[in-house]
Amino acid sequence: MIKKILEAGAKIGRKASAPETMGPLAKAKLDTLCERGFVVFDHLVGSQEFTRMQIDLKRRIESEMRFEFPCLAQNRIDQKLHADLIKKSFRVPSSELKRQGLTFERSDISSYEDLVRRFKPSTLKLLMPDNLDYFSLWLDPLVLSVIEGYMGFQPILREAFVRRNFPCSYKVMNHNWHRDTNHQHHLLKAFIFFNDCYVDTGAHRYIAGSVGSPLFRHKIYYSDEEIEEVFPDGSADHIISEVPAGTIILEDTRGLHKAGIPQRHYRDLGFAVFVPPMLFRGSSDYFTISKSVHKCLMPKQQVYIDRSNIVA
Ligand SMILES: O=C(O)CCC(=O)C(=O)O
């Protein structure tokens, strides 16, 4: 209810330029997004700037361990003791996971290798670093022009983070098929692939054309069996994102999608969530950007940053 009122109060941001003024590449991408609910960008694949960022991200995760705590430790999960949590795919507040002794903190670990070996996390989450290279990538100009063409106005970057996903035994939340509910009418997510992604390294999955479909709307999560009965693996609308590092997939995640679980290695995926500016927003604990970094962005990127995210 409160969410509906907040959405009704959303001041749809500045009007975007008309699609006719878009370049041919952006227009073609927009057509695909409108038709299928997702579109793939490969202009950064193999670029030197992206390779530099892969190296930087690896350092932030493995040497500096700048991710969020507490983290869920999959090796503390007991099938009988935690049957209820397993059934809910761990969709509970992290305080509850902590109370049940299923998490670890920064003070529990001595190194990245130590944490992976001792706690077997399914996911590590790193908030967007306050760094120009990251914001420039999250606000890629070609992707922004397609976002504006799709929404018809300039939204804001609401969430910005990276997740590292590992092989794991128990499904956690978005390992299940679901629809995102961040905003009822306007929502786009850009997924930025930091490593080559194959089925066995956790390819992302999406059902093309499912945004407006009345199917699969009565539960939060659906199993592979339920989805595959209607959209079999390998069918035209069941999209499996096997893509090289540097790929960006822009997706209307009000459609059905899920995270693949890696069977080997790990998967690093960047997330940029775009929604309308909200009149009544809570303080944002999603990411911050310093004034000095914000100043270096292009004006058309700056408008995507809400004032509440800017810090001294
Ligand atoms: O990690 C993924 O591939 C999908 C993430 C997801 O389901 C979501 O952000 O809602």
Side-chain angles (χ1 to χ4, degrees):
M1 178 66 182
I2 291 177
K3 192 153 183 261
K4 286 220 169 97
I5 295 170
L6 287 177
E7 284 186 7
K11 63 173 164 55
I12 301 302
R14 286 176 223 210
K15 211 164 173 301
S17 358
E20 307 82 76
T21 63
M22 294 171 86
L25 176 60
K27 180 71 177 64
K29 297 286 181 196
L30 174 60
D31 289 345
T32 305
L33 178 61
C34 293
E35 201 180 305
R36 307 283 280 152
F38 79 101
V39 62
V40 180
F41 296 84
D42 61 4
H43 56 286
L44 296 175
V45 174
S47 70
Q48 277 183 2
E49 62 194 289
F50 195 81
T51 305
R52 267 204 316 274
M53 292 195 65
Q54 286 174 294
I55 295 167
D56 182 83
L57 181 66
K58 194 167 158 56
R59 179 180 55 78
R60 285 175 197 269
I61 296 178
E62 297 180 15
S63 307
E64 298 175 4
M65 297 189 285
R66 299 242 192 129
F67 32 83
E68 287 192 324
F69 293 93
C71 301
L72 172 64
Q74 285 252 348
N75 71 343
R76 289 194 173 162
I77 303 169
D78 180 288
Q79 203 160 351
K80 280 209 184 104
L81 210 57
H82 304 115
D84 187 47
L85 287 175
I86 295 170
K87 204 163 143 216
K88 290 180 180 156
S89 295
F90 299 88
R91 191 171 180 270
V92 295
S94 69
S95 54
E96 179 57 22
L97 298 178
K98 195 170 173 176
R99 199 187 63 76
Q100 299 216 28
L102 291 179
T103 58
F104 62 94
E105 299 283 349
R106 178 70 181 84
S107 54
D108 295 324
I109 57 177
S110 56
S111 69
Y112 171 79
E113 291 74 21
D114 170 56
L115 92 84
V116 174
R117 190 173 35 82
R118 283 202 295 133
F119 296 108
K120 300 227 175 311
S122 37
T123 302
L124 299 174
K125 179 177 170 184
L126 182 93
L127 276 190
M128 177 74 132
D130 182 19
N131 174 289
L132 182 61
D133 289 341
Y134 284 83
F135 278 98
S136 304
L137 172 57
W138 260 240
L139 299 171
D140 179 274
L142 175 61
V143 176
L144 294 191
S145 66
V146 177
I147 291 174
E148 290 174 21
Y150 188 72
M151 291 196 175
F153 57 88
Q154 288 171 332
I156 55 158
L157 177 66
R158 184 65 178 150
E159 295 181 54
F161 58 89
V162 177
R163 281 195 192 130
R164 174 166 287 191
N165 296 113
F166 296 91
C168 62
S169 310
Y170 297 97
K171 286 188 176 176
V172 180
M173 298 192 281
N174 63 23
H175 289 144
N176 300 285
W177 287 95
H178 64 284
R179 295 174 182 277
D180 286 347
T181 57
N182 310 47
H183 194 281
Q184 203 183 345
H185 306 294
H186 306 285
L187 173 63
L188 282 172
K189 250 184 202 174
F191 296 112
I192 302 153
F193 288 79
F194 275 85
N195 41 14
D196 295 341
C197 208
Y198 307 97
V199 168
D200 65 353
T201 51
H204 175 81
R205 292 183 185 233
Y206 186 70
I207 302 298
S210 61
V211 172
S213 160
L215 300 175
F216 301 108
R217 288 197 178 269
H218 63 284
K219 288 196 297 183
I220 294 171
Y221 296 133
Y222 293 90
S223 66
D224 291 346
E225 293 72 28
E226 286 172 303
I227 296 293
E228 284 173 25
E229 214 177 296
V230 183
F231 303 103
D233 220 347
S235 58
D237 289 337
H238 186 140
I239 310 299
I240 304 173
S241 299
E242 293 198 282
V243 293
T247 302
I248 300 176
I249 298 185
L250 183 62
E251 198 171 282
D252 188 331
T253 53
R254 293 173 303 154
L256 290 160
H257 64 287
K258 74 159 194 168
I261 300 179
Q263 304 304 311
R264 63 176 177 90
H265 203 251
Y266 57 77
R267 181 190 72 159
D268 286 341
L269 190 65
F271 290 69
V273 182
F274 299 93
V275 293
M278 299 289 277
L279 268 184
F280 312 105
R281 54 175 182 256
S283 68
S284 172
D285 54 2
Y286 295 128
F287 68 87
T288 54
I289 179 169
S290 58
K291 281 185 182 154
S292 55
V293 172
H294 184 260
K295 209 168 69 187
C296 297
L297 291 173
M298 291 183 255
K300 67 174 169 202
Q301 295 172 317
Q302 287 175 339
V303 296
Y304 277 74
I305 305 289
D306 188 270
R307 261 175 307 147
S308 63
N309 295 94
I310 304 173
V311 294

